[in-house]
Amino acid sequence: MTAATTDVPVRQASLRTHNLGLVLRQVAASAEPISRADVAAATGLTKATVSTLVDELLGGGLLVEVDPPPRTGSGRPAIGLRLAAKGPAGLGVEITVDAIATCVVDLTGAVRVALRQVADQREREPGAVLADAAALAADALATARSEGVEPAGLAVAVPGLVSDGVVRLAPNLGWREVNVAAAFTDGGLPGPPSVENGASLAALGELQAIGDGGASFLYINGEADIGAGVVLNGHLHRGSRGYAGELGHVTIRPDGPRCRCGARGCLQTYASLDVILAAAGLDGAPLARLAALARAGAHPALMALDEAGTALGVAAADAVNLLDVETVVLGGGYALLAPWLIGPLEREIADRVTAHQWAPVTARASTHGESATVMGAANSIVRAIHAAPATYLRPT
Amino acid sequence: MTAATTDVPVRQASLRTHNLGLVLRQVAASAEPISRADVAAATGLTKATVSTLVDELLGGGLLVEVDPPPRTGSGRPAIGLRLAAKGPAGLGVEITVDAIATCVVDLTGAVRVALRQVADQREREPGAVLADAAALAADALATARSEGVEPAGLAVAVPGLVSDGVVRLAPNLGWREVNVAAAFTDGGLPGPPSVENGASLAALGELQAIGDGGASFLYINGEADIGAGVVLNGHLHRGSRGYAGELGHVTIRPDGPRCRCGARGCLQTYASLDVILAAAGLDGAPLARLAALARAGAHPALMALDEAGTALGVAAADAVNLLDVETVVLGGGYALLAPWLIGPLEREIADRVTAHQWAPVTARASTHGESATVMGAANSIVRAIHAAPATYLRPT
């Protein structure tokens, strides 16, 4: 989309807002500290305009100046600019069936604090789980502040269907109509919290990690349930009502096994982590055990992984036929199992995607490990700051 | 997306470009002629700015003034503005297995010229088909010009996989690697032509017809093959390489009948128009015959339609689970059969879409009939003019 199709009048005030973002993102895109003159050249803004905007971003705590490199040749080296590591940051929280996690990511994308409590959350009251998560977030906030980092927003990742801050349904946790946002509005946490599906936030984290602003991919998250995030042209597709990404309930066989959702033959019934472990005769075992057996060439493990990879491939091929994304990313537990899932998955895509010959698709493991989702949550706030820095300027 | 995330520097020149579009779209959005003062109030621009921009749009042939309504009460009625019916317009061409069509749509969205040649195109050389289509387009262009309407761009709709102006594969037509764009670059046609998948353009036409700038829907086009257009938040999703919308090859059963594409169990093998007719014992009959039999309650016809609607529903449910669109639109031949397809289709969606309880989905027939695709092609040009009118100002 270009500016021309954005129905917002551009007047002087929004011009400043727009260009502040432009300058900040130009600094962010530069691997090395960048001078005001280079920002001007890259953005097409005048040097005078850039100087004014940079002063605002420096004063507001979003940029810092760094000393020029030693003088080489003629001319005086210019002062460089880079993103402020101490300044507005993102606070992320993740709730899964077996852990609560939180982290703080600063404006440069660096993880400054990361806390994780491993414990089964399924037997507990939602209120107790949320209170623990909010307390953990408050700990992370205090630690970040002690380092001069100030989280400017909070995103909470939960497994399941989410809208308006409410978990409508999280089958694994046994949650239904749980107001998650309300649990994070006290205790001095930055607010209001945004609550989103975990796989969607993991996809956003992957987008940040690969550093390709226009990437399109399907992120498939293997947790207790199968989640997915759909990233199109560098944007997370959330859906009309916020429920996109339910890849786990794409139909593999219309008359297949009954799924917990009530339908038959959902991907979930062929390729969830529990189903893979059971098929390999490893009910309840850790995934690492399955991976070790597969590495040793154990037939039941390899068979189970091939069947799951095939089902994942059928569902991924549906998504690729529909959306023409160039990559399928395996995250969560699937990242560990990727060496055995990718073969059958890519085979199904090659067989089933009509345009495959002209538009090949690659499958790969996610960039981040088990922290992908909570980092994605924190990064979603950092992303918002990059998109609209004027909103986050510290009063000078 | 907001202006803040668009990485284009906004300077005075692009400010004007942006605001020209803003004013034009404000006039377009008004059912009645709208005054300069009302445009200013609606856009937030100053009256002086609006006046300058309106003068440019009037001079450039995109807007016209209309006399004020008779004086009622106090004050002098203002001169109204509306889109120019005589001015830049869109020229669309459609090639299908059994027809060539062309039409001109003016800036107000009205169809000014529509020509259709019905003839089987499958036995013919691609070059001959394209020459006929270009000649028909030239006829439409001449007719439009004689009415003072000047097509400012050309879009060509073809069934199949298209990229860079080339039809990579159109199984129905028997085309492979046919350079369609090249056939439309001579003969005084406006250019360069954009070449796109027909179902995608039909979806764009539907978006225009419903007048909801932020709609999300899956458009399923029943022609010789099944095509689809994916519209997300008011934008056609074309895919990373332009191959989105291949719903016909979504898997219904991984070990189902062999599809012409080489895979097994594609939607195409369960629900293409040919398959429905064959299942009803009406091989090669017109669709109207099938509809008449269904209306009369003939069992084989009803069974065939129920089976096709079920398969369409399984594929549509996959798309809804993945994308959370609120509507499924049945176009092409499916529009005629919609009374019998919608029931099973909506049943599968209700059964298979996880978020259905919170985010219901409606299925309906398309707004336009058989002309949906060619109108969508012409409308894609009109849409481009609305998005960036500065590019289309006639020299004054």
Side-chain angles (χ1 to χ4, degrees):
Chain A
M1 197 190 299
T2 63
T5 61
T6 309
D7 275 348
V8 176
V10 176
R11 281 164 297 174
Q12 291 310 321
S14 55
L15 192 61
R16 170 187 154 268
T17 301
H18 177 95
N19 289 337
L20 275 172
L22 192 65
V23 169
L24 184 83
R25 290 189 295 278
Q26 196 59 50
V27 174
S30 172
E32 298 296 315
I34 181 172
S35 70
R36 288 166 173 80
D38 287 345
V39 170
T43 58
L45 296 167
T46 65
K47 285 186 195 178
T49 301
V50 168
S51 274
T52 306
L53 296 167
V54 164
D55 285 347
E56 279 200 76
L57 293 167
L58 287 169
L62 276 71
L63 294 183
V64 290
E65 291 184 316
V66 293
D67 288 337
R71 186 165 177 160
T72 57
S74 64
R76 195 171 48 149
I79 291 172
L81 299 165
R82 65 175 184 214
L83 293 171
K86 296 191 175 189
L91 176 58
V93 169
E94 178 187 14
I95 297 165
T96 68
V97 295
D98 52 14
I100 294 170
T102 181
C103 82
V104 175
V105 171
D106 71 24
L107 207 54
T108 74
V111 177
R112 302 299 291 268
V113 185
L115 306 172
R116 180 173 290 264
Q117 282 179 356
V118 178
D120 196 323
Q121 308 296 333
R122 278 171 286 201
E123 306 296 311
R124 307 180 63 206
E125 277 299 306
V129 175
L130 292 169
D132 283 0
L136 200 66
D139 286 353
L141 180 67
T143 307
R145 280 182 177 157
S146 73
E147 298 184 13
V149 176
E150 183 63 42
L154 166 65
V156 184
V158 284
L161 300 173
V162 187
S163 65
D164 303 323
V166 176
V167 170
R168 302 299 170 188
L169 183 67
N172 288 310
L173 287 166
W175 291 11
R176 191 173 255 277
E177 303 294 345
V178 173
N179 191 331
V180 171
F184 290 89
T185 47
D186 296 332
L189 294 170
S194 73
V195 185
E196 288 208 60
N197 174 274
S200 293
L201 287 171
L204 214 48
E206 181 71 22
L207 180 64
Q208 186 81 13
I210 61 177
D212 174 358
S216 293
F217 58 86
L218 174 68
Y219 187 99
I220 313 181
N221 207 33
E223 300 288 342
D225 278 347
I226 299 172
V230 178
V231 173
L232 303 175
N233 309 319
H235 290 269
L236 177 66
H237 176 70
R238 293 182 163 91
S240 288
R241 282 79 54 109
Y243 297 121
E246 289 296 313
L247 188 81
H249 302 280
V250 160
T251 303
I252 302 301
R253 293 173 189 273
D255 47 7
R258 179 75 70 185
C259 180
R260 198 168 39 198
C261 78
R264 283 191 175 280
C266 298
L267 174 61
Q268 184 79 13
T269 67
Y270 294 93
S272 75
L273 295 180
D274 287 353
V275 167
I276 302 176
L277 286 168
L282 295 170
D283 251 321
L287 281 188
R289 173 89 187 114
L290 174 64
L293 285 167
R295 210 170 288 116
H299 189 67
L302 292 174
M303 282 288 291
L305 288 163
D306 187 75
E307 279 172 28
T310 301
L312 285 166
V314 170
D318 287 354
V320 174
N321 267 318
L322 205 59
L323 299 172
D324 181 20
V325 294
E326 65 254 24
T327 312
V328 175
V329 180
L330 295 173
Y334 293 144
L336 184 66
L337 305 176
W340 303 280
L341 295 174
I342 284 175
L345 195 157
E346 289 194 333
R347 182 191 65 221
E348 293 298 321
I349 287 178
D351 285 354
R352 298 183 181 281
V353 172
T354 323
H356 188 256
Q357 176 186 340
W358 298 274
V361 176
T362 310
R364 61 169 176 79
S366 64
T367 307
H368 297 303
E370 68 169 2
S371 61
T373 302
V374 72
M375 282 178 61
N379 264 318
S380 72
I381 304 296
V382 173
R383 208 173 149 82
I385 302 172
H386 281 242
T391 316
Y392 298 90
L393 292 171
R394 247 195 314 232
T396 52
Chain B
M1 198 188 300
T2 63
T5 62
T6 310
D7 274 348
V8 177
V10 176
R11 281 164 297 174
Q12 292 309 322
S14 56
L15 193 61
R16 168 186 155 269
T17 301
H18 177 97
N19 288 337
L20 275 172
L22 193 65
V23 169
L24 184 83
R25 290 190 294 280
Q26 196 59 50
V27 175
S30 172
E32 299 295 316
I34 182 172
S35 69
R36 287 165 173 80
D38 287 345
V39 170
T43 57
L45 296 168
T46 66
K47 285 186 195 176
T49 301
V50 168
S51 274
T52 307
L53 296 167
V54 163
D55 286 346
E56 278 201 75
L57 293 167
L58 288 168
L62 276 71
L63 293 183
V64 290
E65 290 185 318
V66 294
D67 288 338
R71 187 166 177 159
T72 56
S74 64
R76 194 170 50 149
I79 291 171
L81 300 165
R82 66 174 184 215
L83 294 171
K86 297 190 175 188
L91 175 58
V93 169
E94 179 188 13
I95 297 165
T96 69
V97 295
D98 52 14
I100 293 169
T102 181
C103 82
V104 175
V105 171
D106 71 22
L107 207 54
T108 74
V111 177
R112 301 300 291 269
V113 185
L115 306 172
R116 182 173 288 265
Q117 282 179 356
V118 177
D120 195 324
Q121 308 297 333
R122 278 172 286 200
E123 306 297 309
R124 307 180 61 205
E125 277 299 305
V129 175
L130 291 169
D132 284 0
L136 200 67
D139 286 354
L141 180 66
T143 307
R145 279 183 178 157
S146 72
E147 298 183 14
V149 176
E150 183 62 44
L154 165 65
V156 183
V158 283
L161 299 174
V162 188
S163 66
D164 302 324
V166 176
V167 170
R168 302 299 170 188
L169 183 69
N172 287 309
L173 288 167
W175 291 10
R176 192 172 254 276
E177 303 294 343
V178 174
N179 190 332
V180 171
F184 290 90
T185 47
D186 296 333
L189 295 169
S194 73
V195 185
E196 287 209 60
N197 174 273
S200 292
L201 287 171
L204 215 48
E206 180 72 21
L207 180 65
Q208 185 82 13
I210 61 176
D212 174 357
S216 293
F217 58 86
L218 174 69
Y219 187 99
I220 313 182
N221 207 34
E223 301 288 342
D225 277 346
I226 299 173
V230 178
V231 173
L232 304 175
N233 310 318
H235 291 268
L236 177 66
H237 176 70
R238 294 181 162 91
S240 288
R241 281 79 55 107
Y243 297 121
E246 289 295 312
L247 189 80
H249 302 279
V250 159
T251 304
I252 302 302
R253 292 172 190 275
D255 47 7
R258 180 73 68 184
C259 179
R260 198 169 36 199
C261 78
R264 286 193 174 277
C266 297
L267 175 62
Q268 184 78 13
T269 67
Y270 294 93
S272 75
L273 296 180
D274 286 353
V275 167
I276 302 177
L277 287 168
L282 295 169
D283 251 321
L287 280 188
R289 173 90 187 114
L290 174 64
L293 284 167
R295 210 171 289 113
H299 190 68
L302 292 174
M303 282 289 290
L305 287 163
D306 188 74
E307 278 172 29
T310 301
L312 285 165
V314 170
D318 287 353
V320 174
N321 267 319
L322 204 58
L323 299 172
D324 181 22
V325 295
E326 65 253 25
T327 312
V328 175
V329 179
L330 294 174
Y334 292 145
L336 184 68
L337 305 176
W340 303 280
L341 295 174
I342 284 175
L345 195 157
E346 288 195 334
R347 183 192 64 222
E348 292 299 320
I349 287 178
D351 285 355
R352 297 184 181 280
V353 172
T354 323
H356 186 256
Q357 176 186 341
W358 299 274
V361 176
T362 310
R364 61 170 175 78
S366 64
T367 306
H368 297 303
E370 68 170 1
S371 61
T373 302
V374 71
M375 283 177 60
N379 264 316
S380 72
I381 303 296
V382 173
R383 208 174 149 81
I385 302 173
H386 281 244
T391 317
Y392 297 91
L393 292 171
R394 247 197 311 237
T396 52

